[in-house]
Amino acid sequence: MAATTTTAASINAGAGGGGGGVGGAEDRVLATAQQIVNSLNTPKEVREDMLLIFSSFDNRLSNIKTAMTNQEEDQNDALTARLEAAESVIHRWDGGNDSSRHSSSSSGNYRSSSFSLSFDESPEEATEFLSAVDEVISLLEDLSSKNKADMVDRADSALQMAMSQLEDEFRRILIRNTVPLDAERLYGSMRRVSLSFADGDVVEDFENFGLVADGDGSGSGSGSRRRLFHERGGSIGCDLWVDLINPTAVEDLKEIAERMIRAGYEKECVQVYSTVRRDALDECLMILGVEKLSIEEVQKIDWKSMDEKMKKWIQAVKITVRVLLAGEKKICDEIFSGSESSKEVCFNETTKSCVMQLLNFGEAVAIGRRSSEKLFRILDMYDALANVLQTLEVMVTDCFVCNETKGVLEALGDAARGTFVEFENNVRNETSKRPTTNGEVHPMIRYVMNYMKLIVDYAVTLNSLLENDVLDGLSGDDSTEEMSPLAKRILRLITSLESNLEEKSKLYEDGGLQYVFMMNNIYYIVQKVKDSELGNLLGDDWVRKRRGQIRQYATGYLRASWSRVLSALRDESMGGSSSGSPSYGQRSNNSSKMALKERFRGFNASFEELYRLQTAWKVPDPQLREELRISISEKVIPAYRAFFGRNKSQLEGGRHAGKYIKYTPDDLESYLPDLFEGTQLVIHHPKRKS
C-alpha cells in the first residue's frame, strides 16, 4: 500500500510540475505512468491492476491502459518483424544444397571474407547470415525481460538452427584449412649440433656389456666390430614457426566462435575445435615418425629399430612443444580471444592426446631393460623433455598432463642413472680370459674409453642425476673431495679398468709382452683423457702420474726382453795367462775364441728370436712405437757397437767368420723399425749397410 501511495505521489508530481497546456500535462502524466509500470517488470495481470489503481487517483489516467496496450502491440509487432527477418535468413540455408556443399568442401579453394559458408561462399550472404544470428541473440536478450514465451521459443529454435549450421561450417573451415606439416622443412631449419665420434676407432661390442651388434645374439665373448659413435640431433631455433591453419581462415573461425559463445554454445564450439585439431596434431606426430605403440609393443622392438624410434621421439618432443603446441596456443588465443575459459579448455583438450602419446613412449623406454648402449639415447630423451618442461607448463594448465610429464622425466632420469650404474658394474665384472694376440689395446679399453668420452658430453645432466648417490671405492682425499659427481665416477671406472688390465696382462707368458700390453693400454687411456673433456675432469696430476707409469712399463719391457740379449755382450773373464808356456797360451787363445764365437752366436740367436716375436707385437700409436724403438736403440746398439768393436778383429779372417759376425751395429739398427708393426717377420739374410 505504501508503494502504491508513493507511485501515485510521483504521478501527481509529474502532473503538477508541467506547463504548456492541459494536453501537454496529460501526455506527461501518461508517459510517466507508463514508464513506472514498465520499469517494475511485472506480469501483465499485475500491471493491469496497477493501472486501475492509478485511474482511481486521477481521471486523466483513465486512458492509460488503452495507450499502453497499443504500445505493447507496436513493440510486439516490431519484435516479431525482427525475428521473422532473422528467421527468413536462417531458414533460407537450413539443409542447404548438398551438392554445392560437397563441391565447396572438396575444392580446397578457400575465399577469404568476413565469413564464408560452404553452401554459399558469397561474402555478402555470409555477412547477412551472421547479422541474422546477432539479431536473434539480441532479441533473446530483449525478450528476457518480457513475458513472451512463444516468441522466446521461436527465437530459441531459430538460434539452435543457426548454431547447427555454424557448427558444421566451423568444422569444415577447420578441416579444409589445416596446413599439412612439412617435416623436411622443419628438419632442415633445425640447427645441427656436432657429432660425437670415437675418433675413427673400431671397437668391439661385448656380450657381457649387453651389446650385440646388428641384432646378432650369437656372440661368444666379443661381438662384431663397428664404429662407436653417437649423434645428438639438432636444436630448435626460437624463430622457427609454421602455419598450422591457413591464416586467412582464422578471422572467420573467430567470428563463428564469438557467436557460438555468446549464444551459449561454447561447449559445442570447443568440442568441434579440439576434435579436429587433435586429429591434426596426431597426424603431425605420424609425419614426425612417432607411432602409437603400447608399452608391451615397445618392449619387443629390437635395439636397431628402437634407436631410430628414440631419435625420432627426441626430435618430435622438441618440435611438438616449441613449434606445434606454441602454434596451437597462438591459434586458440586468436580464435577464442573473447573467452579466457574457452582458450584454456580448448588448448588443453586439443593437445592432451598428442602430449600423452609422447609420454607413453618415454615411459615405455624408462621401464625397459637396461643396457649400456641405451644410455646416450635415454639421456637425450631426458634432456629433450627437461628442456621443454617449463615451456609446456606455461602453456598447458591441465595438472594431470603436467604431472605425467614430470613423472616420465623422473623415470627417464632413474633409467639413465640405473643404466650408468649397469655400465659401471659391467666394467668391474668384465673378466674375459682371451688376451689380444699381439699385446695391443684391448677391445674393452677401446669401448669403455670411447664410451666415457661420450659420457662427458652429458656432464651437466649426469652430475645432477648422480649428485645424491653414495660412492665407495675412492680414497676420499682432498683431491677427490673437490671433484664433481661424474668425475668421481669416471675416476673409479678408470681405476677399475687399470686393475682389470693388470689381471689381463698376466694371461701373457712373455714378460716383455705383459709390459707392452700395459704400456699400450695405459697410453691409450691417457691419450683419450688428454684429448677430451675427460682431462678437465681428472686433472693434470692424473695425466702426469700415468705418464710416469708408462715410462716404468717401458723400463720393465727393456729389462724383461733385452736383458738376456745384452748379457751376451758383457765382458767376462777369458781365463788367466799365469803360465808362460806357449802351449798353454795357444790353448787359452783357442778357448777365448770359442767363447767369443758362442757369445756372438748367442746374441745372434737371441736377437733373431726377439725380432721374430716382436715384429708380431703391436704398438698402435706411432709416437709410442717410435719412442719404444728409440729406447731399444739407445740401450742395445751402443752395447753391441762396443762389443763388436772390441771383438770382431779376433774372429775376422778366420774360417766362417760371417757365421758368427752376422750383423754390424748398423745392420741391427736397420731392423728395429720392423718391431711392433703387428706382422711377424723372420731374418733370412742379414741386411748389410754399405
PDB file of all heavy atoms in Angstrom, residues 40 57 90 165 219 370 408 452 567 617 625 642:
ATOM      1  N   LEU A  40       8.741  -1.646 -13.543  1.00  0.00           N
ATOM      2  CA  LEU A  40       8.552  -2.621 -12.472  1.00  0.00           C
ATOM      3  C   LEU A  40       8.696  -4.055 -12.956  1.00  0.00           C
ATOM      4  O   LEU A  40       8.819  -4.979 -12.156  1.00  0.00           O
ATOM      5  CB  LEU A  40       7.183  -2.421 -11.820  1.00  0.00           C
ATOM      6  CG  LEU A  40       7.017  -1.094 -11.058  1.00  0.00           C
ATOM      7  CD1 LEU A  40       5.591  -0.958 -10.531  1.00  0.00           C
ATOM      8  CD2 LEU A  40       7.999  -1.006  -9.906  1.00  0.00           C
ATOM      9  N   PHE A  57      -6.773   7.381  -8.707  1.00  0.00           N
ATOM     10  CA  PHE A  57      -6.152   8.584  -8.167  1.00  0.00           C
ATOM     11  C   PHE A  57      -6.369   9.792  -9.061  1.00  0.00           C
ATOM     12  O   PHE A  57      -6.403  10.911  -8.596  1.00  0.00           O
ATOM     13  CB  PHE A  57      -4.640   8.362  -7.987  1.00  0.00           C
ATOM     14  CG  PHE A  57      -4.293   7.526  -6.786  1.00  0.00           C
ATOM     15  CD1 PHE A  57      -3.916   6.207  -6.924  1.00  0.00           C
ATOM     16  CD2 PHE A  57      -4.355   8.070  -5.510  1.00  0.00           C
ATOM     17  CE1 PHE A  57      -3.599   5.451  -5.830  1.00  0.00           C
ATOM     18  CE2 PHE A  57      -4.028   7.295  -4.403  1.00  0.00           C
ATOM     19  CZ  PHE A  57      -3.650   5.971  -4.556  1.00  0.00           C
ATOM     20  N   ILE A  90      17.985 -17.357 -41.733  1.00  0.00           N
ATOM     21  CA  ILE A  90      18.474 -18.623 -41.179  1.00  0.00           C
ATOM     22  C   ILE A  90      17.805 -19.810 -41.848  1.00  0.00           C
ATOM     23  O   ILE A  90      18.463 -20.791 -42.227  1.00  0.00           O
ATOM     24  CB  ILE A  90      18.244 -18.651 -39.653  1.00  0.00           C
ATOM     25  CG1 ILE A  90      19.126 -17.592 -38.975  1.00  0.00           C
ATOM     26  CG2 ILE A  90      18.548 -20.029 -39.078  1.00  0.00           C
ATOM     27  CD1 ILE A  90      18.818 -17.359 -37.516  1.00  0.00           C
ATOM     28  N   GLN A 165      24.155 -24.842 -38.060  1.00  0.00           N
ATOM     29  CA  GLN A 165      24.828 -24.502 -39.317  1.00  0.00           C
ATOM     30  C   GLN A 165      26.229 -23.931 -39.054  1.00  0.00           C
ATOM     31  O   GLN A 165      27.191 -24.256 -39.756  1.00  0.00           O
ATOM     32  CB  GLN A 165      23.965 -23.486 -40.083  1.00  0.00           C
ATOM     33  CG  GLN A 165      22.628 -24.048 -40.545  1.00  0.00           C
ATOM     34  CD  GLN A 165      21.751 -22.992 -41.175  1.00  0.00           C
ATOM     35  OE1 GLN A 165      22.235 -21.982 -41.656  1.00  0.00           O
ATOM     36  NE2 GLN A 165      20.447 -23.234 -41.171  1.00  0.00           N
ATOM     37  N   GLY A 219      76.955 -63.976 -30.101  1.00  0.00           N
ATOM     38  CA  GLY A 219      78.332 -63.637 -29.743  1.00  0.00           C
ATOM     39  C   GLY A 219      78.911 -64.598 -28.731  1.00  0.00           C
ATOM     40  O   GLY A 219      78.225 -65.235 -27.968  1.00  0.00           O
ATOM     41  N   ARG A 370      67.578 -52.503 -19.156  1.00  0.00           N
ATOM     42  CA  ARG A 370      68.698 -51.573 -19.170  1.00  0.00           C
ATOM     43  C   ARG A 370      69.927 -52.219 -19.784  1.00  0.00           C
ATOM     44  O   ARG A 370      70.299 -53.330 -19.415  1.00  0.00           O
ATOM     45  CB  ARG A 370      69.005 -51.097 -17.741  1.00  0.00           C
ATOM     46  CG  ARG A 370      67.916 -50.205 -17.178  1.00  0.00           C
ATOM     47  CD  ARG A 370      68.096 -49.897 -15.723  1.00  0.00           C
ATOM     48  NE  ARG A 370      67.004 -49.076 -15.229  1.00  0.00           N
ATOM     49  CZ  ARG A 370      66.822 -48.747 -13.964  1.00  0.00           C
ATOM     50  NH1 ARG A 370      67.670 -49.198 -13.050  1.00  0.00           N
ATOM     51  NH2 ARG A 370      65.802 -47.999 -13.604  1.00  0.00           N
ATOM     52  N   VAL A 408      57.307 -38.848 -16.065  1.00  0.00           N
ATOM     53  CA  VAL A 408      58.097 -39.508 -17.112  1.00  0.00           C
ATOM     54  C   VAL A 408      59.527 -38.976 -17.098  1.00  0.00           C
ATOM     55  O   VAL A 408      60.481 -39.737 -17.286  1.00  0.00           O
ATOM     56  CB  VAL A 408      57.440 -39.300 -18.494  1.00  0.00           C
ATOM     57  CG1 VAL A 408      58.370 -39.772 -19.616  1.00  0.00           C
ATOM     58  CG2 VAL A 408      56.112 -40.039 -18.563  1.00  0.00           C
ATOM     59  N   MET A 452      83.210 -43.364 -22.399  1.00  0.00           N
ATOM     60  CA  MET A 452      83.353 -42.293 -21.412  1.00  0.00           C
ATOM     61  C   MET A 452      83.568 -40.935 -22.073  1.00  0.00           C
ATOM     62  O   MET A 452      83.183 -39.897 -21.531  1.00  0.00           O
ATOM     63  CB  MET A 452      84.479 -42.623 -20.436  1.00  0.00           C
ATOM     64  CG  MET A 452      84.092 -43.715 -19.444  1.00  0.00           C
ATOM     65  SD  MET A 452      85.187 -43.820 -18.013  1.00  0.00           S
ATOM     66  CE  MET A 452      86.631 -44.534 -18.763  1.00  0.00           C
ATOM     67  N   SER A 567     123.168 -59.643 -21.994  1.00  0.00           N
ATOM     68  CA  SER A 567     124.107 -60.419 -21.161  1.00  0.00           C
ATOM     69  C   SER A 567     125.192 -61.053 -22.016  1.00  0.00           C
ATOM     70  O   SER A 567     126.318 -61.282 -21.548  1.00  0.00           O
ATOM     71  CB  SER A 567     123.340 -61.495 -20.386  1.00  0.00           C
ATOM     72  OG  SER A 567     122.796 -62.461 -21.277  1.00  0.00           O
ATOM     73  N   TRP A 617     104.381 -58.300 -32.409  1.00  0.00           N
ATOM     74  CA  TRP A 617     103.722 -57.495 -31.384  1.00  0.00           C
ATOM     75  C   TRP A 617     103.270 -56.172 -32.000  1.00  0.00           C
ATOM     76  O   TRP A 617     103.843 -55.693 -32.975  1.00  0.00           O
ATOM     77  CB  TRP A 617     104.673 -57.213 -30.222  1.00  0.00           C
ATOM     78  CG  TRP A 617     105.061 -58.460 -29.463  1.00  0.00           C
ATOM     79  CD1 TRP A 617     104.639 -59.732 -29.703  1.00  0.00           C
ATOM     80  CD2 TRP A 617     105.964 -58.525 -28.358  1.00  0.00           C
ATOM     81  NE1 TRP A 617     105.214 -60.605 -28.815  1.00  0.00           N
ATOM     82  CE2 TRP A 617     106.030 -59.891 -27.963  1.00  0.00           C
ATOM     83  CE3 TRP A 617     106.717 -57.603 -27.650  1.00  0.00           C
ATOM     84  CZ2 TRP A 617     106.822 -60.325 -26.914  1.00  0.00           C
ATOM     85  CZ3 TRP A 617     107.503 -58.023 -26.591  1.00  0.00           C
ATOM     86  CH2 TRP A 617     107.557 -59.380 -26.229  1.00  0.00           C
ATOM     87  N   ARG A 625     105.263 -46.084 -30.395  1.00  0.00           N
ATOM     88  CA  ARG A 625     106.049 -47.101 -31.108  1.00  0.00           C
ATOM     89  C   ARG A 625     107.456 -46.588 -31.383  1.00  0.00           C
ATOM     90  O   ARG A 625     108.449 -47.301 -31.160  1.00  0.00           O
ATOM     91  CB  ARG A 625     105.331 -47.458 -32.411  1.00  0.00           C
ATOM     92  CG  ARG A 625     105.940 -48.632 -33.149  1.00  0.00           C
ATOM     93  CD  ARG A 625     105.011 -49.111 -34.252  1.00  0.00           C
ATOM     94  NE  ARG A 625     104.729 -48.098 -35.250  1.00  0.00           N
ATOM     95  CZ  ARG A 625     103.508 -47.625 -35.533  1.00  0.00           C
ATOM     96  NH1 ARG A 625     102.457 -48.059 -34.849  1.00  0.00           N
ATOM     97  NH2 ARG A 625     103.334 -46.714 -36.466  1.00  0.00           N
ATOM     98  N   ALA A 642     130.063 -51.460 -28.961  1.00  0.00           N
ATOM     99  CA  ALA A 642     131.283 -51.608 -28.154  1.00  0.00           C
ATOM    100  C   ALA A 642     131.783 -53.049 -28.200  1.00  0.00           C
ATOM    101  O   ALA A 642     132.992 -53.308 -28.371  1.00  0.00           O
ATOM    102  CB  ALA A 642     130.993 -51.191 -26.714  1.00  0.00           C
TER     103      ALA A 642
END
